[in-house]
Amino acid sequence: MYFQLVNLCQQIFFILSLLILDLHCVSLAYWISFTLEQDQPEISSSTNADKLFEEGVKLYDAEQYQRAIEVYQKVLEARRKTDDKFAIGRTLNAIGLAHYYLRQYPEAINSYQQALSIFKQIKAKDREAMTLSSIGGVYNDLSQYPEALQTYQQALNILLETGNRLEQANTLHNIATVSYYLSQYSNSLTSYRRALKLFREEKDLTGEGITLRSIGVLYNRLGQYQLAREHLNSALISLKKTNNHLHQGQVYESIGLSYRREQQYIRAIAFYQQAVSIYQAQGNQFMVGRALNNLGEVYTSVGNMPLALENLNQALKISQQLRDKWLESATLDSLGTSHKRLNQDKKALAFYQRAILISWEIGDQASQSEILSHLGELFAEQNQPELAILFYKQSVNVTESIRKDLRPLPRAQQESYTQTVADTYRKLADLLLQQDRVLEAQQVLDLLKIQELDDYLRNVRGVGQQVEFLRPETEILKRYGKLQETAIRVGRELAELRKKAAQGALTEVEQQRVAELDRLETSLNEQFGQFIRSEEVKKLIAQLSPEVQEQIVKLSDLEALRDDLRRMNAVMIYPLVLSDRLELIITTPDTIPLRRTVPIKRETLNAAILEFRRALQSPGTDAKPIAQKLYSWLIQPLEAELKQATPQTIIYAPDGQLRYIPLAALHDGQQWLVQRYQINNITAKSLTKFNNPSQVQMRVLAGAFADAATTYPIKVGERNFSFKGLPFAGQEVINLAALFPGTNKVLDRAFSLASVKPMMNGFSVVHLATHAAFVPGDPSNSFILFGDGSFATLRDIENWSLNNVDLVVLSACETGVGIKDVGDGALGNGEEVLGLGYQFQNRGARAAIASLWQVDDGGTQELMTAFYAALKQGNTTKVAALQQAQIAMITGNTQNNATGNQRSSVQFTPGKNQAAAISRDRSHPYYWAPFILIGNGL
């Protein structure tokens, strides 16, 4: 009876969890049928209990879950009297499932756990696995993905013992789905493929088709649209053989989505229309409404507004008939965007307002954030920047609340939400800068970096920050909130009375109340439209002049930053890359954040970044011309501030593709920037503590994969790599041990993840001289290779303990592995660079040193020896030691150091038979520039 109850599964599950095809529900319907199957001779110890159980199943089928629970409880009492443990377990599972559909998750888990205990006791392995899978499903719906993954894995381990291959396939599919939500795309793809193999071997066409569709959705997420459509078309072939029309409709939607993302809107429309036709034939109104909403959005994109409004109005009607608040809010939001496209701003505002009220009513924070952003965009287009900033701020703060409270998004909205939310931060920062509200903009840029980390790693907790509202903004929001509260209260009462009216049960007094509330609702809608144009709001907006802002912006956070900068003799630079310009924000110990604008388009800047990166990676190329061009954009506009502040260190938080190039390698026409300043990269100001100096006593753990005769194959995504040992890495560790006699030195096979990981937290410096790669898009494809062939992914680092570690050095790593340097846009957005620094900081390490590209083995050994020699001098910070080592590489130990009045004392000690290699010219930035320090450089 596999997938017997799939229609019921879809009708309920999609309402709870799907907007743009992220659902991969293979096994839920199977478990439903397994739990509620009605031919049950093995447990028929009581005729009355059997009849009651059947009554509960009928109530469940009728979606009367609370009544079903009451009946199942009576069955449970009867079963307990007979001590039929198997039957008791099955009944507890049925109760748990009903609680699940009522979204009573604690009660569901409690029932499942009781059932699990019983099945373990009687050694009913299949039922034990089924119950574990049910628990995993609850964790999945709660977005507690690590717990879901662990539980599904337990279920799979049991199923591998019992040999039930179909159930193994289902569970593998669930594991793949949870891995997808964790952005572990490589693991997800592996599990989907294992599930697909089993489904094919078991000749289960439905499971095969759904899994192929899931793989297609995964490739959609990765932007590999051609691969996505290949799998989706294969899914259609399988599903058509089963006459499973509902899933065919989902496949058509997924294909439409892939074309939509490629902006092939005509093709997208054709596939969305096919999905609508299928859903209509199946009578699944929710799916029809969702598909019509998607179709309306595409018509809006192509400017066919009559068809856009026609489809969206149909979707709205369906949502209201179904009383589905989530779908209604989404469609109202889409209608707002359509009317904005028609320059019908008043109507757009009204639709957005209705949408935001519903999202507030149902507590859907993700939708609130998105709709508030749309309101900000509307006011920005109306040239009302103050109001736009207000609503963008509110959108950002809702996002921060989601992260702070660890309330992940419903699966329904994950993909669309993460694609738009970072854009909101950028638009807010842009508007604030245009209004010369620089201090507020800097705070938003900090939050933007955390948001980009969250998008990449999906594990970044908020740090309790919220964008501050100025006093006039707070007053506007307070009055706006009162209107909202009244509107929600009126809407709820009116909805209840209308529901009662549909049953023909209204009294005369209630009929009068309906008319009164209807008039009040209409009046409130008018008040919302008039609110932004009211005199009181205009007066409050007038208070948002720069002169008033200086009096009302809180400066406590700025003063703490200034103290840090003064103590470190540093300045902080935050660039923001926008489509039409580059904004530079500089904060010095004695000034508020200052803004400088560079009129350079994003495409031009990114092309220069790519050209610079190529020049840096080619020792035979003169990198100075392009280095000077980037200097003219990034540093020259700030020269006056730098001259006045005379800093020793630049604390730098790069944005976008600027993360792929080292600031140290910019050139002013006379010298490299590192010859003037120490460069300390950070992920975000709020994630970096500068008041923790390094430990006085250095305790070093140094490991290396140095055996050149050994090669390990590593698969990164769809690509296979072979990594050989690095001979100079061994000498690097030997030199390090000579500098620090107490160094714990581990080489090659002794340098294993299993042996090294437990020791790391006992050392102040963890030096890993081995291959590592940090790639865009998927943290599970980013890894550190150990000397025995084991490896740890960027995701695995989440479980390390490094709170006693001052510094982690990855001396042979590279970020952006596999990047195809083919033109503008070939690079990612640098999230992997941010992610590397964050993961080590998040586990307690104060700083990390890593490389932006694959570096010459001998050159790396030379630079690292110089770095540690400088660090050993005492009273030398990590960032100063790195600067001294880089200058020594540039000058061959003859150039004055950064202070301009002392000679560098860094000395190199070549190992045996290395004299020829060391004597080579290492002054090109290829050898010294890729190494960046991320975090606390003290």
Side-chain angles (χ1 to χ4, degrees), residues 1-66:
M1 56 172 59
Y2 185 67
F3 287 108
Q4 180 178 351
L5 299 179
V6 73
N7 285 335
L8 175 61
C9 165
Q10 299 297 341
Q11 289 171 8
I12 300 169
F13 199 62
F14 277 122
I15 290 174
L16 295 177
S17 58
L18 183 61
L19 171 61
I20 57 168
L21 318 173
D22 266 1
L23 184 64
H24 311 275
C25 175
V26 168
S27 60
L28 180 58
Y30 174 78
W31 292 126
I32 293 173
S33 61
F34 198 9
T35 301
L36 301 179
E37 59 187 87
Q38 296 189 44
D39 74 359
Q40 45 182 320
E42 75 274 21
I43 63 166
S44 297
S45 57
S46 165
T47 302
N48 288 337
D50 291 345
K51 289 180 179 179
L52 273 173
F53 193 94
E54 292 175 7
E55 182 184 336
V57 170
K58 290 176 183 177
L59 288 167
Y60 178 92
D61 289 344
E63 302 181 28
Q64 299 182 36
Y65 302 120
Q66 190 59 54

Side-chain angles (χ1 to χ4, degrees), residues 418-487:
T418 55
Q419 287 173 344
T420 59
V421 68
D423 194 44
T424 298
Y425 288 71
R426 288 186 177 277
K427 288 177 178 177
L428 173 55
D430 184 0
L431 277 174
L432 286 166
L433 289 171
Q434 289 182 47
Q435 298 295 304
D436 286 324
R437 295 164 64 169
V438 184
L439 181 59
E440 295 168 87
Q442 185 181 42
Q443 184 188 22
V444 174
L445 292 179
D446 205 58
L447 295 176
L448 168 64
K449 296 176 192 309
I450 298 171
Q451 174 60 40
E452 289 176 328
L453 277 170
D454 199 11
D455 290 349
Y456 180 62
L457 295 170
R458 298 293 180 89
N459 71 339
V460 182
R461 290 173 179 261
V463 289
Q465 286 199 61
Q466 295 270 291
V467 181
E468 291 182 4
F469 288 106
L470 307 185
R471 283 199 298 271
E473 291 175 326
T474 301
E475 190 60 34
I476 293 171
L477 285 177
K478 181 179 177 182
R479 300 181 191 195
Y480 184 70
K482 287 181 179 179
L483 270 177
Q484 287 179 317
E485 290 172 7
T486 303

Side-chain angles (χ1 to χ4, degrees), residues 765-827:
V765 175
V766 175
H767 183 96
L768 307 177
T770 182
H771 297 285
F774 300 93
V775 303
D778 186 355
S780 62
N781 279 342
S782 299
F783 63 90
I784 301 169
L785 179 67
F786 288 80
D788 64 340
S790 59
F791 61 91
T793 68
L794 195 57
R795 182 71 68 193
D796 295 332
I797 297 172
E798 292 175 21
N799 301 313
W800 292 9
S801 179
L802 302 170
N803 54 293
N804 292 322
V805 177
D806 284 331
L807 177 65
V808 177
V809 178
L810 299 168
S811 70
C813 74
E814 59 174 309
T815 58
V817 69
I819 292 172
K820 297 179 181 178
D821 290 346
V822 294
D824 183 37
L827 299 172

Side-chain angles (χ1 to χ4, degrees), residues 372-373 375-393 423-438 440-441 444-445 473 549 576 578 580-581 583 595:
L372 285 164
S373 178
L375 281 165
E377 188 176 340
L378 176 66
F379 289 126
E381 290 181 6
Q382 291 179 342
N383 197 27
Q384 299 187 67
E386 296 86 1
L387 283 173
I389 288 169
L390 175 66
F391 283 97
Y392 277 139
K393 278 187 174 183
D423 194 44
T424 298
Y425 288 71
R426 288 186 177 277
K427 288 177 178 177
L428 173 55
D430 184 0
L431 277 174
L432 286 166
L433 289 171
Q434 289 182 47
Q435 298 295 304
D436 286 324
R437 295 164 64 169
V438 184
E440 295 168 87
V444 174
L445 292 179
E473 291 175 326
Q549 289 165 35
L576 174 65
L578 297 167
D580 60 341
R581 68 191 191 281
E583 293 279 1
R595 165 206 180 196

Side-chain angles (χ1 to χ4, degrees), residues 251-384:
V251 174
Y252 283 124
E253 276 199 274
S254 295
I255 295 173
L257 179 62
S258 74
Y259 281 123
R260 180 179 176 181
R261 290 193 177 157
E262 287 189 310
Q263 297 184 356
Q264 298 187 45
Y265 296 124
I266 302 304
R267 289 184 174 181
I269 287 169
F271 281 98
Y272 279 143
Q273 286 173 333
Q274 290 183 73
V276 170
S277 297
I278 289 174
Y279 297 148
Q280 287 173 335
Q282 292 293 299
N284 191 317
Q285 286 296 94
F286 174 78
M287 299 290 282
V288 171
R290 192 197 67 192
L292 286 170
N293 181 60
N294 289 337
L295 193 53
E297 288 179 347
V298 179
Y299 278 126
T300 298
S301 297
V302 298
N304 190 335
M305 305 315 297
L307 281 177
L309 295 177
E310 179 184 334
N311 282 277
L312 290 173
N313 283 321
Q314 288 182 48
L316 182 62
K317 184 177 180 181
I318 289 170
S319 70
Q320 291 170 340
Q321 288 171 344
L322 294 175
R323 295 190 177 91
D324 188 291
K325 293 292 188 181
W326 177 83
L327 181 57
E328 183 178 2
S329 176
T331 308
L332 287 166
D333 183 34
S334 299
L335 280 163
T337 300
S338 295
H339 284 286
K340 181 166 70 69
R341 177 75 181 266
L342 287 166
N343 296 319
Q344 297 175 353
D345 292 349
K346 188 174 181 181
K347 285 186 177 180
L349 180 61
F351 279 115
Y352 285 144
Q353 183 55 47
R354 288 169 62 188
I356 197 69
L357 283 174
I358 292 173
S359 68
W360 254 301
E361 182 183 357
I362 64 178
D364 185 352
Q365 287 189 300
S367 291
Q368 291 170 29
S369 174
E370 195 164 355
I371 299 163
L372 285 164
S373 178
H374 291 162
L375 281 165
E377 188 176 340
L378 176 66
F379 289 126
E381 290 181 6
Q382 291 179 342
N383 197 27
Q384 299 187 67

Side-chain angles (χ1 to χ4, degrees), residues 560-738:
L561 173 60
R562 283 172 171 170
D563 288 343
D564 285 338
L565 295 177
R566 193 172 291 112
R567 178 168 45 83
M568 297 168 64
N569 190 14
V571 298
M572 180 175 287
I573 298 177
Y574 264 57
L576 174 65
V577 181
L578 297 167
S579 60
D580 60 341
R581 68 191 191 281
L582 172 67
E583 293 279 1
L584 301 172
I585 297 177
I586 183 170
T587 305
T588 76
D590 301 311
T591 65
I592 62 172
L594 302 172
R595 165 206 180 196
R596 299 293 179 261
T597 301
V598 182
I600 184 76
K601 291 186 177 180
R602 179 189 285 127
E603 293 82 1
T604 305
L605 176 63
N606 287 349
I609 289 169
L610 198 56
E611 181 185 348
F612 188 37
R613 186 176 169 91
R614 286 173 179 163
L616 292 174
Q617 290 178 274
S618 304
T621 301
D622 184 3
K624 289 180 181 177
I626 184 62
Q628 290 174 22
K629 179 183 286 188
L630 283 161
Y631 178 91
S632 71
W633 295 338
L634 287 165
I635 299 297
Q636 191 171 320
L638 305 173
E639 285 286 18
E641 289 75 23
L642 291 170
K643 184 177 181 180
Q644 182 175 0
T646 63
Q648 187 176 25
T649 303
I650 292 176
I651 298 171
Y652 180 54
D655 182 42
Q657 294 190 6
L658 288 170
R659 293 164 186 149
Y660 289 115
I661 56 172
L663 196 69
L666 301 188
H667 200 278
D668 65 5
Q670 300 296 321
Q671 58 186 338
W672 303 104
L673 193 66
V674 72
Q675 295 175 279
R676 294 172 56 190
Y677 305 109
Q678 301 164 11
I679 311 297
N680 190 155
N681 285 48
I682 60 172
T683 50
K685 176 177 66 69
S686 59
L687 296 177
T688 308
K689 305 299 181 186
F690 291 107
N691 54 358
N692 296 323
S694 298
Q695 300 172 53
V696 175
Q697 184 66 37
M698 282 186 64
R699 303 178 312 283
V700 182
L701 171 64
F705 172 33
D707 184 1
T710 301
T711 301
Y712 294 119
I714 298 290
K715 187 170 185 178
V716 182
E718 296 299 295
R719 303 181 63 191
N720 294 302
F721 294 87
S722 293
F723 292 103
K724 289 184 178 181
L726 302 164
F728 280 92
Q731 187 62 45
E732 187 179 309
V733 168
I734 291 170
N735 288 354
L736 182 52

